[in-house]
Amino acid sequence: MAMEEGTRAYLLAPIIRDRKGEYRKEFIELRKQGFQRVKVDGEFL
């Protein structure tokens, strides 16, 4: 796949679906893995 230098892309994949509650541990683990943004209920955080 060829993209111009400096192009940003988002990789979106569901991690949690159809469950209610808080997911602080999951977000902390994603941050440790190098992810900078998450999309929750249609909003980037």
Side-chain angles (χ1 to χ4, degrees), residues 1-3 8-9 11 13-17 19 24-25 27-29 31-32 36-38 40 42-45:
M1 182 162 120
M3 298 176 81
R8 291 184 177 200
L11 173 62
I15 294 176
I16 301 167
R17 293 164 93 181
R19 290 187 354 207
R24 294 177 195 263
K25 292 178 186 176
F27 293 145
I28 290 169
E29 187 60 34
R31 183 176 283 173
K32 286 180 185 176
Q36 296 178 355
R37 293 179 183 85
V38 294
V40 178
E43 182 181 350
F44 282 100
L45 307 170

Side-chain angles (χ1 to χ4, degrees), residues 19-23:
R19 290 187 354 207
K20 293 183 180 181
E22 291 189 11
Y23 301 98

